[in-house]
Amino acid sequence: MFRTTRTASAATTAALLCAVTGAALTGTHLAPAASASPQHSRLDSLEPVAAATVARRERGGDLFTGIGKIRVGDRSVNVSCSGTPAPHRPVVMLMAGLGDGLDNLSGIQKTLSATGRVCSYDRLGEGESDAPLGPQTMDSTGKVLTAVLDRVAGDRPVVLVGHSLGGLIAARYAPEHLDRVKGLVLLDATPSTMAADLTRIVPPSATGPGADARDGYLAVSQGQNPEMLSFTDGKVRSAGDIPVEVIRHGVPYLAQSIPTYGPALERAWADGERAWLALSPHSRLSVATKSDHYIYLAQPDLVDQAVERVTSRAPGRS
């Protein structure tokens, strides 16, 4: 997995393959989706139950603080929560990119928890969470998120902060859960048209890094990833009038790593980030001028400020 330092080629993989150590660029073997177990997780009636490993219960409620496991259906999900719920302030949920665990987010979580309750979790197949029992979809991964939020936020409103694929999941989840999601911060979120952009820019005759990036992304999006999660292109749906902050990378590493097609991919990525503004009339786009894909590692202060703007505008609970 990629952590705090990355080469140019690794950064390319992180962006186009949603932070997974993809088979095409790194040689890591990923089993074909067809070989996945036909048994699916029982996610149609999720009832999360706290495991004995939960670190500490908060006084006066059933929320917990620390790092521990909760049950989601028949799977165990690793969760981390810190900070104290603040009046009129939503709970912040951090969502990592594909191939990353909640440990990647520990620095930004510690900083943000100084002003309120902040949580993160490992999706099924990531970090310390159980592997999925079968193929995942946006709907099933959203049900896991709902179960986790039920357990760590209760009836409090939440702000989702998603990086890379975590941002794509957050942006797809929010429009269907506006009773709960009161704000979004998208950190170089995977564009909603990434597959179409890649196949348009990188032709079938391409070889080298461009072909690797295209083929690798398409394989990952079809479920060849640790989460066994398949995701497709789609329109950006309205999330009402919630505050939305979109931050895209400013270091053009795609152009450096994929000389032939990189400049066009950079333009497509920038267009994809601007497209997220359609989520809400209260959306704002900024550029992390000193960052590649991992904005929360390169410019954490920029992320802190964006989260503060969104949480201060989002309705909380007294």
Side-chain angles (χ1 to χ4, degrees):
M1 303 298 177
F2 303 133
R3 296 304 178 209
T4 56
T5 60
R6 292 165 173 81
T7 63
S9 61
T12 303
T13 306
L16 297 182
L17 305 191
C18 308
V20 67
T21 49
L25 297 188
T26 66
T28 301
H29 175 70
L30 294 173
S35 67
S37 168
Q39 182 181 12
H40 291 253
S41 297
R42 295 189 293 276
L43 298 175
D44 52 340
S45 58
L46 295 178
E47 292 293 338
V49 179
T53 52
V54 168
R56 177 171 62 84
R57 300 294 181 116
E58 292 186 1
R59 288 183 297 175
D62 61 353
L63 303 180
F64 68 88
T65 295
I67 299 176
K69 303 290 182 66
I70 63 174
R71 297 296 298 181
V72 175
D74 52 8
R75 299 283 83 191
S76 178
V77 176
N78 192 44
V79 176
S80 172
C81 287
S82 52
T84 302
H88 310 292
R89 191 177 183 91
V91 175
V92 174
M93 172 59 76
L94 305 177
M95 301 172 62
L98 188 65
D100 288 340
L102 62 80
D103 56 323
N104 277 49
L105 301 165
S106 60
I108 197 75
Q109 179 169 333
K110 180 179 180 180
T111 300
L112 293 172
S113 64
T115 55
R117 182 169 172 85
V118 185
C119 298
S120 56
Y121 76 110
D122 291 330
R123 292 189 298 275
L124 295 181
E126 305 289 5
E128 298 301 318
S129 289
D130 285 349
L133 292 178
Q136 300 282 312
T137 64
M138 279 289 180
D139 181 62
S140 63
T141 200
K143 288 181 178 180
V144 174
L145 174 57
T146 294
V148 171
L149 291 175
D150 285 346
R151 188 65 187 84
V152 304
D155 61 354
R156 294 166 174 81
V158 299
V159 166
L160 302 180
V161 180
H163 171 246
S164 196
L165 183 68
L168 176 63
I169 294 171
R172 296 254 176 105
Y173 181 87
E176 297 181 355
H177 298 85
L178 293 179
D179 58 327
R180 164 173 270 161
V181 180
K182 302 303 180 182
L184 286 171
V185 179
L186 305 181
L187 306 176
D188 227 26
T190 303
S192 63
T193 57
M194 196 70 246
D197 293 338
L198 276 166
T199 54
R200 171 176 55 83
I201 293 169
V202 184
S205 60
T207 59
D212 289 341
R214 179 200 61 209
D215 296 344
Y217 180 88
L218 294 176
V220 166
S221 67
Q222 293 165 10
Q224 296 183 41
N225 59 71
E227 300 178 38
M228 301 170 72
L229 173 64
S230 297
F231 47 96
T232 60
D233 286 356
K235 294 181 179 180
V236 177
R237 298 173 55 199
S238 171
D241 60 356
I242 66 173
V244 177
E245 291 268 345
V246 180
I247 309 178
R248 72 168 177 87
H249 70 264
V251 176
Y253 62 90
L254 298 177
Q256 300 168 11
S257 303
I258 311 175
T260 303
Y261 306 105
L265 289 172
E266 287 284 357
R267 292 190 292 271
W269 190 276
D271 290 343
E273 299 308 297
R274 281 192 292 272
W276 288 125
L277 297 178
L279 281 162
S280 168
H282 302 297
S283 296
R284 180 179 185 271
L285 173 68
S286 57
V287 180
T289 57
K290 300 178 182 179
S291 300
D292 60 9
H293 189 48
Y294 280 76
I295 296 168
Y296 64 86
L297 296 178
Q299 292 184 261
D301 289 347
L302 197 64
V303 178
D304 294 346
Q305 294 161 13
V307 173
E308 177 58 33
R309 284 192 293 269
V310 169
T311 54
S312 65
R313 294 167 57 198
R317 175 179 180 269
S318 59

